[in-house]
Amino acid sequence: MATHRSGPLKQQNKAHKGGRHRGRGSAQRDGKGRLALKVLSKKVRKELSRVDQRHRASQLRKQKKEAVLAEKRQLGSKDGPPHQVLVVPLHDRISLPEAFRLLQDKDTGTVHLNEWGSTHSFMLLCPRLKHRWFFTSARPGDLHTVLDMAKVADTILFLLDPLEGWDSTGDYCLSCLFAQGLPTYTLAVQGISGLPPRKQIDARKKLSKAIEKRFPDDKLLLLDTQQEAQMLLRQLANQKQRHLAFRDRRAYLFAHAADFVPSEENNLMGTLKISGYVRGQTLNVNSLLHIIGQGDFQMKQIDAPMDPFPLNPRVVKSHDSGAAMEICAMDAAVDMEEDLKVLMKADPERQESLQTEVIPDPMEGEQTWPTEEELNEANDFLKESSKVVKKVPRGTSSYQAEWILDEDGESGEEDEHDDTEHEDFIDEESQDEGSEKEEEEECETMTIGESVHDDLYDENVDEEAEEKMLEKYKQERLQEMFPDEVDTPRDVAARIRFQKYRGLKSFRTSPWDPKENLPQDYARIFQFQNFTHTRKRIFKEVEKKEVEGAEVGWYVTLHVSEVPVSVFEYFRRGAPLIAFSLLPHEQKMSVLNMVVSRHPGNTEPVKAKEELIFHCGFRRFRASPLFSQHTAADKHKFQRFLTADVALVATVYGPITFPPASVLLFRQNGNGMHSLIATGHLLSVDPDRMVIKRVVLSGHPFKIFTKMAVVRYMFFNREDVLWFKPVELRTKWGRRGHIKEPLGTHGHMKCSFDGKLKSQDTVLMNLYKRVFPKWTYDPYVPEPVPWMKSEISSTVPEVDME
């Protein structure tokens, strides 16, 4: 008897569920120990009522407001460092002494003048406002001084001209300051009261429109009378401070006084005593000190002398007359020596080392040479693998078998066609040259009168520099038209010329070991196991203030050991002496990667491995960078020139610096001036970042048989074709293929593609190798020649209106 079987249309009812009547064991079996995300998130996130949310928001606002007020009250107060203001005149017509005369009002407070060579500065103490200012100045043409003093200035006071605002020198200075990072700034106009009353309003309107691009939503202040100077001081005191990340996490100091004590052994080396106010973070004596432009040094001890510029000076009553007199530290050197205290002395066990490079061991990477038996086995294996199985008639010897071609073999008649094709090509070229000569004969010539200043102009032209720049322009144009394409050399075999290159199936996904074939310079650098974790750990220690030392606002004297006397002479000539404390590991050498973008004001070609000047954070050095694409892949394509349209990554050997840090790239011209080339920021410190150089070899299809083609001019001998046979081919029109076999001895090869090839197409072969930067690091950068208005205007490119 046949049994009934239900078909596919049988009704399926839901199974009965127990609901909340299930026991704990059944629920655990169903969930298998997992908790629902909704239940977990509700326990972690405690939902607040609307009243509690408002209360929490008001508390956060109150905390932020109190933090801003505390920062304002500390800066320039009796317990904090003086409010350092850098005055930068942005036009030649601005009178800096006149501006300082208005700010040095004795009715406002006490003025202490300091003259250090060409640098003019003064300290203004105002007990009525409970504030003290330290004013310094720098001309826009003196680029190093402006950039160095802007690194430590609390506020920059820009002085503008009432008619033009700023000239070309001031505009160039603003570009550099914006790229480095601007602290708090204020705009003041000098000389607007000297204009007729009708023109004053128009001048202010035009100036307001001119500054909208660079300084949006900023107000202009006047600086022509004593009353306007007092309003400017109040604005400086109450202004909200902007922060620069690279200086907020380090202790830094601007030298108010310096002294040099030569050592007993050598008069050229000794101890440099630097006096100034601690800013930024707590200064530890065991950390290293970087003097901008001079290098890294160790400290012996930190002294705490009496503050030479107290906001409320001590009052001492005289026994004879009972009159009160104010005693400042500048007038009481004996009192200063009595109040001198030694804060900290360096501990040799805890002090940071000055070692910048690893001393490589030549025996560390030793490799054993293979024995004769291993070499013989390798040769036998190559011989067996090179044997080819062919079908030959019976009785054929091995010598005769080598001459028998396969079914796909071609005859050697193609070489004759090559010669005829070449002759036709030469005839066509000669015809083109003849036609060009005929066209030249048809054209007529005209003589144009020479200018009177032509002879003077030619005297200032450097012919060698012009030839080099012309060659760079040609190379840059060829790189844009034919990216990475090179000509296969005729005198050297391609397998020797490109022996360090390799082919990749896919540039994005093909593996490449970052530790493979490293240069000898990599044995001298340091590398982090995890750079991101180390950076976070060090920054957390800085935020928690676990470091002991001189607190922010203290007036201290640093004893810096093993300093050359040239540093002190540099300070005595009037240059600013600025010191930054280094975080752990920041004195060691590694590989820096910086994201840079081409500055629009400079159009000259910049080639890779060309020596440039870097301003990276608080450092300044010279190096030869590599340029590569800024991508998220593990391999980054090498760029031969610094392009103007996209951001690239510059890779150099340099001292470790923890980002964030601004980067400026300068080129030193033949006349000694520095021109701004690119700006950007520090990306990472990573020696494993692979910069891959690509070389493209091109060939032309000679004979096409649907998907098969004979390609020539890529190689010029048979051995090179066999050597590069495993590498994949591509064409400019998107075809993919590979080499089948060589034809003849002139470098012709039979290739197969994934589609039909066009006669006007070009066959390409991509080869890759990893490149490394040159070790050209130099921490000493020569002083640039000051920029002049005429020099800058001559470097601005002319615009072709046609």
Side-chain angles (χ1 to χ4, degrees), residues 98-296:
E98 177 65 20
F100 274 18
R101 185 189 64 80
L102 294 174
L103 294 171
Q104 294 171 2
D105 186 12
K106 294 184 179 180
D107 296 335
T108 306
T110 308
V111 179
H112 298 277
L113 298 176
N114 285 327
E115 288 283 350
W116 299 326
S118 60
T119 304
H120 181 57
S121 61
F122 67 93
M123 184 77 71
L124 178 62
L125 308 178
C126 184
R128 181 167 55 86
L129 296 177
K130 298 180 181 180
H131 209 85
R132 52 180 176 173
W133 291 273
F134 179 60
F135 286 91
T136 58
S137 63
R139 286 285 176 183
D142 194 357
L143 190 62
H144 278 188
T145 303
V146 173
L147 293 178
D148 291 347
M149 298 188 72
K151 290 181 175 73
V152 296
D154 298 315
T155 303
I156 299 181
L157 176 60
F158 293 114
L159 298 181
L160 307 179
D161 183 71
L163 298 178
E164 298 181 6
W166 53 76
D167 54 12
S168 56
T169 311
D171 184 67
Y172 177 74
C173 176
L174 286 176
S175 299
C176 298
L177 287 174
F178 271 97
Q180 179 179 265
L182 266 184
T184 309
Y185 60 88
T186 302
L187 305 176
V189 185
Q190 186 190 56
I192 201 169
S193 60
L195 299 176
R198 294 181 179 179
K199 293 185 177 180
Q200 290 183 8
I201 300 176
D202 295 338
R204 294 188 66 172
K205 287 182 179 179
K206 290 181 180 179
L207 196 58
S208 299
K209 287 184 177 180
I211 68 172
E212 279 182 0
K213 293 183 179 179
R214 284 198 178 272
F215 306 100
D217 301 330
D218 284 326
K219 295 181 179 180
L220 287 172
L221 300 178
L222 302 181
L223 187 59
D224 290 328
T225 61
Q226 294 287 352
Q227 186 178 4
E228 292 171 352
Q230 292 181 2
M231 292 179 61
L232 178 62
L233 290 176
R234 290 182 180 274
Q235 170 69 16
L236 296 176
N238 298 324
Q239 207 170 12
K240 183 181 178 181
Q241 294 298 309
R242 300 175 64 182
H243 295 274
L244 296 179
F246 72 89
R247 77 179 186 186
D248 286 345
R249 293 189 174 96
R250 298 169 179 86
Y252 59 97
L253 180 140
F254 180 86
H256 289 262
D259 190 16
F260 184 77
V261 180
S263 62
E264 299 177 356
E265 301 175 355
N266 188 4
N267 292 331
L268 299 178
M269 302 290 289
T271 302
L272 180 66
K273 297 181 180 179
I274 306 173
S275 299
Y277 294 92
V278 179
R279 301 170 183 270
Q281 295 291 334
T282 304
L283 179 60
N284 189 8
V285 71
N286 293 319
S287 61
L288 297 180
L289 200 69
H290 176 78
I291 300 177
I292 294 181
Q294 306 299 330
D296 304 334

Side-chain angles (χ1 to χ4, degrees), residues 418-599:
D418 293 349
D419 298 335
T420 57
E421 291 278 340
H422 185 62
E423 291 175 2
D424 296 340
F425 182 69
I426 292 174
D427 293 339
E428 291 175 4
E429 283 189 348
S430 61
Q431 290 176 5
D432 293 340
E433 290 177 359
S435 62
E436 288 179 1
K437 289 180 180 178
E438 292 176 0
E439 290 179 359
E440 289 178 359
E441 291 175 358
E442 293 176 359
C443 298
E444 61 179 5
T445 58
M446 296 177 63
T447 48
I448 302 174
E450 295 181 355
S451 174
V452 181
H453 302 284
D454 281 351
D455 297 335
L456 300 176
Y457 182 80
D458 290 339
E459 290 178 0
N460 299 327
V461 174
D462 189 356
E463 294 184 359
E464 294 183 1
E466 290 286 323
E467 290 292 332
K468 290 181 180 179
M469 190 58 64
L470 178 61
E471 186 64 27
K472 283 185 180 180
Y473 274 114
K474 289 181 179 178
Q475 293 178 4
E476 188 179 27
R477 180 64 61 86
L478 285 175
Q479 176 65 20
E480 291 177 0
M481 296 174 62
F482 307 101
D484 300 328
E485 289 192 33
V486 297
D487 294 330
T488 307
R490 302 290 298 269
D491 53 345
V492 182
R495 61 185 182 278
I496 297 175
R497 168 64 180 83
F498 304 110
Q499 59 184 346
K500 294 183 179 179
Y501 289 81
R502 68 181 72 176
L504 294 178
K505 184 71 175 176
S506 171
F507 183 78
R508 184 179 62 87
T509 59
S510 295
W512 196 311
D513 187 7
K515 304 296 183 183
E516 176 186 354
N517 294 332
L518 297 178
Q520 189 66 27
D521 291 335
Y522 263 53
R524 303 165 57 185
I525 64 174
F526 290 85
Q527 182 177 5
F528 294 96
Q529 188 174 5
N530 193 322
F531 176 74
T532 306
H533 288 182
T534 306
R535 174 175 168 271
K536 287 182 179 179
R537 177 182 58 82
I538 292 175
F539 284 177
K540 281 183 180 179
E541 292 177 0
V542 172
E543 291 175 0
K544 293 179 181 178
K545 296 184 179 181
E546 298 178 356
V547 182
E548 297 179 356
E551 297 291 337
V552 178
W554 291 3
Y555 186 83
V556 297
T557 300
L558 310 180
H559 295 251
V560 189
S561 58
E562 299 297 327
V563 180
V565 69
S566 59
V567 179
F568 182 64
E569 294 295 334
Y570 179 74
F571 173 72
R572 291 182 62 182
R573 289 198 302 267
L577 191 62
I578 299 169
F580 273 83
S581 69
L582 298 182
L583 297 175
H585 313 297
E586 283 196 328
Q587 80 280 11
K588 301 173 183 176
M589 295 291 292
S590 188
V591 179
L592 307 183
N593 302 305
M594 315 168 189
V595 180
V596 295
S597 299
R598 188 70 181 266
H599 188 258

Side-chain angles (χ1 to χ4, degrees), residues 35-44:
L35 291 176
L37 289 176
K38 292 182 179 179
V39 178
L40 184 63
S41 61
K42 285 182 179 178
K43 289 183 179 178
V44 173

